Amino acid sequence: MLNVKVHNLNLKNPVMTASGTFGYGEEFSDFIDLERLGAFIVKGTTGTHREGNPYPRMVETPSGMLNAVGLQNGGVEKFCSTVYPRIQHLDTNIIVNVSGSSIDEYCTVAEQVNELDRVPAIELNISCPNVKKGGMGFGTDPAMASQVVTAVRKVYHKTLIVKLTPNVTSIAEIAKAVEGAGADSVSLINTLLGAAIDVEHRRPYLSTITGGLSGPAVKPVAVRMVWQVAHAVKIPVIGLGGIMSASDALEFMMAGATAVQVGTANFIDPSVTMKIIDGMEEYCHRHGIKDINEIIGIV
Amino acid sequence: MKEIHDFTIVCRRQLGDQYFSLVLQHQGTMPAVCPGQFVEVLVDDCREVMLRRPISVHDVDAEKNTLSLLVQIVGKGTRRLATLQCGDKLNLVYPLGHGFSTNIASDSRVLMVGGGAGIAPLLYLSKVLSSKHIRPTILLGGRTASLIPVRSEFEPYGSVGIATDDGSMGYRGIVTQHPDFGKEYDIIYSCGPTPMMKAVAKSAAQRGIRCEVSLENMMACGLGACLCCVTDTDEGHKCVCKEGPVFDISVMKKWYE
Ligand SMILES: Cc1cc2nc3c(=O)[nH]c(=O)nc-3n(C[C@H](O)[C@H](O)[C@H](O)COP(=O)(O)OP(=O)(O)OC[C@H]3O[C@@H](n4cnc5c(N)ncnc54)[C@H](O)[C@@H]3O)c2cc1C
Ligand SMILES: Cc1cc2nc3c(=O)[nH]c(=O)nc-3n(C[C@H](O)[C@H](O)[C@H](O)COP(=O)(O)O)c2cc1C
Ligand code: FES
């Protein structure tokens, strides 16, 4: 009833977890059955080890939070040699979020992840607002976005999802560019660039001054963008941004998303993804829906 | 094993105007909790607060299946928690983090240095050490006497010394100037304001005394998933919520210097 398909990926249900909010999945194994997830997307992985930005890296804002983690991770080799062996047995789709600051770096990571049997897809993060070089730079210009996707497409042979940034004038234009360059799917949105200032201490809350906004505050923007992109491209769209409940998730699907990702909500309730899956099932029963695909893009 | 659980508040005590304590009852059996570990509290029905708030485990009573928290009111979330009454429910994700080392020799000479809300985890720590027949020296510091809550709770477990900036209770001055601070110890545990812990760490390092500090960085997930809470260490960034909040200062030179 909840099965969906994103390119070649068969998902038990449309619920995935968002990169950077779910660690390597293991952090949540006391709270949920990871194998019930449609897919989970691991932390942003780069060519080499990264320390990320200095502390403080987060601040809560109305109905959301700003983060400036800056892609802290052990690098792709460490992922393949130490993390992958620990999680590869899981019976769900494990997707690696591939990040970088040059086309070469994206390609190196994608090439190495291509060798991992139990990783059927990558999510190419051309939208991180928290790194100085690259990251969002690639995702804000259609020509550059197309260039990096074309290059990765040559070395990566499984499902290629490209994650888009909302920090652009026309997200549909970027989506069309990456579709043209060979992306199999797009996911959106990454965080919205924001800032917050501590007026008592007269200083920014984040070491980097600006950071990425996530959580319920961004949801209407995300739903609007998913709707626009779903009308602009033919490849499946994965929707995210502020999803806290099954009805939020269904909202994205009606706007045109084939699957959804849950991010910040995991921090508030580590078992939220299970509740969202249960809630979707319950919705289908209540509305006499036999196949969740019936509601995709009905708006 | 970590869990999410709705506790019931069975006792609430106001301690001066800045602090309150809550005793929370578990409906089933609580998983084992180590001193220095913390809980992530869901602040319900509060428009301004979305993320959980990290609070140390102040005490555990395994027989009664209760866990207590000592909270200082500093902002939106803690102000809302202060309005909760007996009978209300409180949702916790716990036990989280890596606590204090309690696996020490029974003849160890132990010093604990706490300040402000940082004294919270030291009570449960003293209780666990006392079950090993260790009687620590416990130094509690604050700007003024009213900022040193629950002093008497510590008295059964060790010899308690107080330092206040204004001399309203105990020694007048900061806690690292207290006469008992400079004595010989095998291990020092500290939790409190960062400048205090850094002073404790520096002194311990100079004197070659083993020392553990408990950090209070801002957190989002509390589970080691988001990497928002990192601290600088000699071995690079470490997660305070997972690899900490308690760190041995032997890897924290970069932090305290
Ligand atoms: C591992 C750990 C254990 C803790 N144990 C205790 C405890 O036992 N008792 C207790 O009273 N407090 C404890 N704290 C601190 C507590 O988490 C914060 O005081 C609380 O989150 C503030 O929430 P608020 O909504 O009231 O404040 P906000 O309205 O969010 O902020 C108000 C002010 O408090 C400061 N603040 C916010 N969060 C923190 C934080 N995590 N650490 C320090 N300052 C903060 C902000 O800078 C701001 O100036 C602990 C923190 C950590 C990380
Ligand atoms: C702490 C944190 C870290 C993140 N790290 C990454 C990352 O490494 N790669 C990435 O593509 N997105 C990252 N994101 C963005 C999320 O995957 C997601 O796009 C965004 O948070 C919006 O969804 P949400 O509102 O459900 O959280 C991060 C978000 C947060 C809050
Ligand atoms: S708070 Fe998320 S990793 Fe520590």
Side-chain angles (χ1 to χ4, degrees):
Chain A
M1 180 169 61
L2 293 185
N3 296 43
V4 292
K5 207 165 172 193
V6 173
H7 184 240
N8 286 332
L9 288 183
N10 285 308
L11 308 180
K12 293 172 193 166
N13 59 66
V15 180
M16 312 179 169
T17 55
S19 176
T21 66
F22 202 66
Y24 294 114
E26 300 163 304
E27 293 81 354
F28 290 80
S29 61
D30 281 354
F31 306 103
I32 65 170
D33 176 1
L34 293 166
E35 300 190 343
R36 273 194 76 201
L37 293 169
F40 73 86
I41 305 188
V42 303
K43 229 175 251 184
T45 302
T46 51
T48 50
H49 164 93
R50 285 204 193 205
E51 274 299 293
N53 291 319
Y55 179 84
R57 291 176 170 186
M58 63 94 29
V59 60
E60 186 171 356
T61 55
S63 298
M65 62 177 278
L66 288 169
N67 90 82
V69 171
L71 294 178
Q72 179 179 334
N73 79 104
V76 65
E77 273 166 33
K78 181 128 185 249
F79 173 80
C80 296
S81 65
T82 67
V83 182
Y84 177 70
R86 294 202 307 262
I87 57 176
Q88 58 153 347
H89 65 278
L90 290 167
D91 177 25
T92 178
N93 293 294
I94 302 169
I95 299 174
V96 176
N97 181 266
V98 171
S99 301
S101 43
S102 65
I103 292 183
D104 276 352
E105 188 177 5
Y106 281 110
C107 289
T108 314
V109 181
E111 234 172 335
Q112 293 188 53
V113 175
N114 193 54
E115 302 305 309
L116 306 175
D117 286 341
R118 295 282 305 131
V119 176
I122 59 172
E123 179 179 60
L124 199 66
N125 175 12
I126 56 166
S127 46
C128 183
N130 293 323
V131 287
K132 283 200 192 74
K133 271 174 46 202
M136 196 170 82
F138 287 106
T140 52
D141 177 62
M144 276 178 72
S146 161
Q147 231 181 352
V148 63
V149 174
T150 304
V152 171
R153 183 73 284 179
K154 288 201 185 107
V155 298
Y156 190 73
H157 310 299
K158 299 184 230 172
T159 300
L160 173 58
I161 303 164
V162 179
K163 186 163 178 182
L164 305 181
T165 172
N167 302 305
V168 292
T169 313
S170 169
I171 195 161
E173 202 184 320
I174 311 278
K176 277 193 272 190
V178 304
E179 179 183 42
D184 299 316
S185 167
V186 284
S187 57
L188 60 142
I189 59 174
N190 206 316
T191 53
L192 271 161
L193 197 59
I197 294 160
D198 178 347
V199 294
E200 287 304 319
H201 299 96
R202 303 183 183 200
R203 62 180 182 221
Y205 279 107
L206 301 176
S207 68
T208 46
I209 307 177
T210 62
L213 181 64
S214 64
V218 309
K219 195 186 74 174
V221 176
V223 172
R224 181 263 292 180
M225 289 186 159
V226 164
W227 181 81
Q228 288 177 323
V229 168
H231 282 83
V233 298
K234 293 191 182 64
I235 50 179
V237 176
I238 302 168
L240 74 153
I243 295 176
M244 304 291 281
S245 64
S247 81
D248 292 343
L250 292 162
E251 201 178 336
F252 276 87
M253 295 187 74
M254 291 184 188
T258 301
V260 296
Q261 294 178 16
V262 181
T264 304
N266 290 301
F267 304 160
I268 299 150
D269 178 357
S271 65
V272 69
T273 45
M274 300 296 109
K275 292 177 185 162
I276 293 175
I277 297 168
D278 292 343
M280 283 182 154
E281 233 159 56
E282 186 270 334
Y283 179 91
C284 289
H285 285 305
R286 198 153 42 83
H287 288 264
I289 296 168
K290 295 214 171 54
D291 179 353
I292 191 93
N293 288 286
E294 289 169 27
I295 66 152
I296 295 171
I298 58 168
V299 172
Chain B
M1 181 96 174
K2 304 189 226 353
E3 65 169 22
I4 315 178
H5 188 78
D6 270 329
F7 283 75
T8 307
I9 300 173
V10 291
C11 176
R12 180 198 186 281
R13 269 207 304 157
Q14 186 68 36
L15 304 153
D17 51 5
Q18 281 213 20
Y19 290 89
F20 61 96
S21 68
L22 299 173
V23 180
L24 308 171
Q25 173 115 47
H26 194 284
Q27 266 58 63
T29 322
M30 262 196 308
V33 181
C34 303
Q37 285 192 304
F38 66 97
V39 303
E40 280 274 13
V41 181
L42 186 69
V43 183
D44 240 344
D45 296 326
C46 183
R47 188 174 52 85
E48 298 161 286
V49 176
M50 177 187 76
L51 296 172
R52 288 172 183 265
R53 295 298 192 255
I55 302 289
S56 302
V57 173
H58 179 46
D59 200 1
V60 172
D61 188 329
E63 270 164 31
K64 293 192 184 134
N65 245 331
T66 60
L67 177 154
S68 24
L69 308 178
L70 172 66
V71 183
Q72 182 177 19
I73 303 170
V74 298
K76 308 174 288 279
T78 47
R79 208 175 305 125
R80 164 72 189 136
L81 292 176
T83 65
L84 295 175
Q85 298 298 330
C86 284
D88 289 345
K89 294 267 195 272
L90 197 59
N91 183 271
L92 306 186
V93 172
Y94 79 107
L96 304 176
H98 165 84
F100 292 107
S101 318
T102 52
N103 194 1
I104 57 171
S106 61
D107 59 353
S108 303
R109 293 161 301 173
V110 175
L111 173 67
M112 291 182 196
V113 185
I119 75 172
L122 300 182
L123 181 70
Y124 183 40
L125 176 62
S126 352
K127 216 168 156 178
V128 168
L129 292 183
S130 109
S131 71
K132 303 182 175 218
H133 310 290
I134 296 171
R135 220 183 131 73
T137 300
I138 302 160
L139 295 182
L140 307 178
R143 277 201 311 284
T144 172
S146 64
L147 296 182
I148 304 184
V150 299
R151 148 193 194 160
S152 58
E153 287 186 11
F154 283 89
E155 267 153 4
Y157 307 112
S159 101
V160 181
I162 303 285
T164 51
D165 295 0
D166 62 1
S168 54
M169 192 196 277
Y171 175 80
R172 181 192 192 110
I174 57 173
V175 73
T176 44
Q177 293 164 340
H178 191 285
D180 288 349
F181 182 76
K183 291 186 178 158
E184 284 290 306
Y185 296 102
D186 298 303
I187 184 164
I188 303 178
Y189 302 101
S190 184
C191 184
T194 306
M196 184 201 86
M197 286 195 288
K198 286 186 176 173
V200 170
K202 266 184 208 160
S203 162
Q206 267 163 20
R207 294 191 276 157
I209 303 174
R210 181 174 168 201
C211 178
E212 293 183 344
V213 291
S214 181
L215 270 49
E216 292 198 346
N217 286 10
M218 302 286 280
M219 293 179 178
C221 72
L223 301 169
C226 73
L227 304 183
C228 285
C229 64
V230 296
T231 181
D232 246 340
T233 75
D234 307 341
E235 296 164 353
H237 279 145
K238 287 200 173 182
C239 249
V240 172
C241 71
K242 191 174 174 188
E243 294 162 280
V246 176
F247 291 95
D248 192 300
I249 63 157
S250 61
V251 296
M252 300 294 286
K253 245 201 200 78
K254 250 177 112 172
W255 172 79
Y256 66 75
E257 270 179 357

